[in-house]
Amino acid sequence: MMTPAQFFDEIAPKLLAAQRDQCAKLGGVFAVKLSEGTWTLDFTNASVAKGIQKRPDLTLEMSSSDFTSMMDGALDVSASLRSGRVKLHGDARKIVNLATILGAGMS
């Protein structure tokens, strides 16, 4: 089982690099705040960094265990948003862009 830190430190940079053109087309800066840390995904230059690096267009906030469940396809994200287990700050429509790129690592 991969930890969120392993995902953001090892897998996410490869996902963004492999989909550089798609990232540039979608655009956006995304912060993911989990119980074990925060990462910024910048689609404009297909990069991942620890902490909040720029003002994010969208911040996704959840527990690390919920993030792992989401990546495994076991978390009902819509229900978790309604119940407050998952929080979005900023332009919520951009969650689709984030899911498009990160979803490539979920299969």
Side-chain angles (χ1 to χ4, degrees), residues 59-79:
T59 302
L60 175 66
E61 200 173 336
M62 62 191 349
S63 72
S64 296
S65 59
D66 280 348
F67 180 82
T68 301
S69 296
M70 180 182 74
M71 294 304 285
D72 290 340
L75 181 73
D76 182 335
V77 177
S78 297

Side-chain angles (χ1 to χ4, degrees), residues 6-65:
Q6 288 171 312
F7 176 81
F8 285 107
D9 294 342
E10 300 166 23
I11 306 299
K14 293 176 187 162
L15 282 174
L16 268 60
Q19 301 177 82
R20 183 176 294 276
D21 293 345
Q22 177 80 344
C23 283
K25 193 166 68 174
L26 293 172
V29 175
F30 303 91
V32 181
K33 292 172 84 171
L34 305 176
S35 36
E36 71 181 68
T38 301
W39 291 266
T40 299
L41 291 81
D42 185 345
F43 281 15
T44 52
N45 60 16
S47 66
V48 179
K50 276 199 166 120
I52 303 251
Q53 301 299 320
K54 294 181 175 179
R55 184 185 170 121
D57 297 304
L58 176 68
T59 302
L60 175 66
E61 200 173 336
M62 62 191 349
S63 72
S64 296
S65 59

